[in-house]
Amino acid sequence: RRSSDLQPLLQGGPGRPIRVLHASFGDFLCDPKRCEDPKWHIITPNHHLELASYCLRVMEEGLKFNICGIETSYCGNTEIEGIRERVDEAITPVVMYACQYWADHLESASELKRDSRLVDTVKNFITRQLLYWIEVFSLRNQMSAIPVILKKATDWSKVRILLTAESDD
């Protein structure tokens, strides 16, 4: 299909996310009884699992020690000249989305059976990049988001343990 054929249903463009203009279209795509064509049908938990994987990959590639190259840790972020520009340059919208929503996508995919690669990826993130991730929220002055996100990730890991135990029986 040409993209112009979908303009009444979708909105977006180069560098902008695609948005569904009518909720009923999204509902249609996610309902296997209504959308029977497999190339259009969206299996929601699988979709979220893929998005969680992509978010973790973006963070693995985008997060690093001292992401903004701050010369000293002896002053607060607001005391650093040009910090907003540094933050905007170092923490792209894609990296920020990944930091904010990786656990939401895990949570939305929690009904799926254990994916050992994803479990390993989450463990790797927690052991190797958690402090870099926290720094992003500090630099964006959004520290209050951290407990909520970590709670979702913790709940997801508990569901993983339960699903694994059930499949072993």
Side-chain angles (χ1 to χ4, degrees):
R1 289 200 161 283
R2 293 187 333 247
S3 63
S4 60
D5 293 344
L6 297 175
Q7 281 183 341
L9 302 170
L10 304 172
Q11 181 181 48
R16 293 189 335 239
I18 295 173
R19 298 200 191 298
V20 175
L21 294 177
H22 301 282
S24 62
F25 183 59
D27 295 341
F28 168 78
L29 291 174
C30 295
D31 184 344
K33 293 176 185 141
R34 294 174 61 204
C35 182
E36 297 175 1
D37 187 336
K39 72 179 176 192
W40 290 99
H41 175 63
I42 297 170
I43 302 169
T44 307
N46 292 354
H47 177 75
H48 283 290
L49 192 66
E50 283 185 50
L51 287 170
S53 295
Y54 291 140
C55 286
L56 289 160
R57 191 174 322 137
V58 164
M59 290 189 298
E60 182 181 341
E61 294 170 5
L63 298 179
K64 64 181 183 177
F65 175 77
N66 194 11
I67 195 167
C68 289
I70 297 171
E71 294 78 12
T72 181
S73 60
Y74 291 105
C75 55
N77 293 340
T78 56
E79 299 171 48
I80 300 167
E81 191 171 324
I83 190 66
R84 283 297 114 221
E85 293 79 13
R86 285 185 184 192
V87 169
D88 290 342
E89 186 177 321
I91 305 169
T92 66
V94 171
V95 169
M96 196 64 215
Y97 177 92
C99 289
Q100 289 176 306
Y101 297 110
W102 64 277
D104 287 320
H105 292 300
L106 286 177
E107 180 181 55
S108 295
S110 63
E111 67 188 56
L112 295 174
K113 294 292 182 203
R114 180 182 171 106
D115 180 335
S116 61
R117 288 177 309 194
L118 187 59
V119 171
D120 291 343
T121 303
V122 171
K123 284 180 187 175
N124 184 54
F125 167 74
I126 297 296
T127 58
R128 295 185 179 182
Q129 295 189 294
L130 187 66
L131 292 177
Y132 308 153
W133 177 76
I134 292 170
E135 181 184 21
V136 165
F137 285 95
S138 172
L139 290 164
R140 289 282 185 190
N141 198 26
Q142 295 179 9
M143 293 294 286
S144 62
I146 292 173
V148 175
I149 296 168
L150 291 179
K151 171 86 169 83
K152 289 177 183 183
T154 302
D155 291 347
W156 173 82
S157 69
K158 289 176 185 174
V159 169
R160 301 272 50 83
I161 292 167
L162 291 173
L163 287 175
T164 303
E166 288 174 7
S167 65
D168 290 342
D169 291 340

